[in-house]
Amino acid sequence: MVQTKGGILSTLLFYERLTPLNRDAHACLRLRAAGFVFAARTNSTPLLAVEIAEAARSFPVLFADIGQGQVFPIALLGLRNAENLFVDAEGAWEADCYVPAFVRRYPFVLTSDMTVLIDESYPGLNETDGEPLFQEDGSNSPQLEHTLSFLRGFHDEVERTQTLVATLAEFDLLKPVSLNVVPQGGDSYRLDGLQVVDSEKLAALGGEAVLRLFRSGELAAVQAHLVSLGGLDALNRRSAARPQPAIDADQAQQQD
């Protein structure tokens, strides 16, 4: 997640006990919906470029280093560590607000070598309730085929998102920002490690560059990102209205 004082957003948020999905070891495994409790303690998640326009209607979209120097779009879901303002105490995602694909793919993930992993700690996995992952003959169930299609699509869109970020870097359009948050009745703090598109540099681009961005569809994503920044005030009001989340020892150490 985006941590105060310059933390890094992990690409394996949520996952605790990842293991390769195996038709023998997991022959009886079923999957049922178990809410979004797993996402309740993260204040940001990566976004795919194709999601930016829709996600921008629900929360601010920025850019951040997600590790190994890789910059990626993110959905800003909260302003404090361990705070997701779009998941309630029962684990329900706020109605009519966008759920990022990064969240929807859980408890599965596809590795770079196309291996499907599953988080065995997810409470929705069991052997009695929900949709089976494998059929009696060992073949993939319709549920699993749907999941695999989603994961492959996610993988392809990651590459397109990397292309968007590379284009922004080529035109030198990203600039670092720090968000100063002043909560009601609390001490102010700062969110670092974030970037936004420089609107002045964008406006100064030549015609060929703008045409390239337009034809690729990247200009629409950039404009949606810039519009979404107007939601920071609303996010601050949401944060002020919710009690500060408890922070465990590891998170407290990260803030020191």
Side-chain angles (χ1 to χ4, degrees), residues 78-114:
L79 295 174
R80 296 179 286 204
N81 293 334
E83 174 184 75
N84 185 339
L85 297 168
F86 297 86
V87 177
D88 66 20
E90 285 71 44
W93 200 278
E94 183 167 329
D96 300 325
C97 287
Y98 185 72
V99 182
F102 185 92
V103 176
R104 286 183 276 125
R105 71 174 181 169
Y106 184 82
F108 300 92
V109 65
L110 192 64
T111 68
S112 58
D113 64 1
M114 307 304 284

Side-chain angles (χ1 to χ4, degrees), residues 19-30 118 120 133-134:
T19 187
L21 184 64
N22 182 283
R23 67 180 67 252
D24 294 322
H26 300 121
C28 299
L29 203 60
R30 291 175 174 267
I118 192 167
E120 292 183 321
L133 298 184
F134 297 100

Side-chain angles (χ1 to χ4, degrees), residues 14-77:
F14 320 141
Y15 300 89
E16 297 178 11
R17 294 203 316 270
L18 277 171
T19 187
L21 184 64
N22 182 283
R23 67 180 67 252
D24 294 322
H26 300 121
C28 299
L29 203 60
R30 291 175 174 267
L31 179 68
R32 62 173 175 80
F36 296 94
V37 171
F38 65 88
R41 292 174 62 80
T42 179
N43 64 4
S44 55
T45 66
L47 277 176
L48 301 170
V50 71
E51 300 181 275
I52 291 177
E54 188 168 1
R57 300 187 183 102
S58 298
F59 26 69
V61 175
L62 297 96
F63 293 81
D65 188 334
I66 61 173
Q68 299 180 337
Q70 183 180 8
V71 174
F72 221 75
I74 65 163
L76 192 60
L77 306 172

Side-chain angles (χ1 to χ4, degrees), residues 49-50 52-53 56 61 63 164 197 217-227:
V50 71
I52 291 177
V61 175
F63 293 81
L164 166 65
V197 169
E218 294 169 335
L219 184 58
V222 168
Q223 291 174 325
H225 146 69
L226 289 172
V227 170

Side-chain angles (χ1 to χ4, degrees), residues 129-141:
D129 184 27
E131 295 293 326
L133 298 184
F134 297 100
Q135 302 189 96
E136 291 185 3
D137 63 1
S139 61
N140 296 343
S141 70

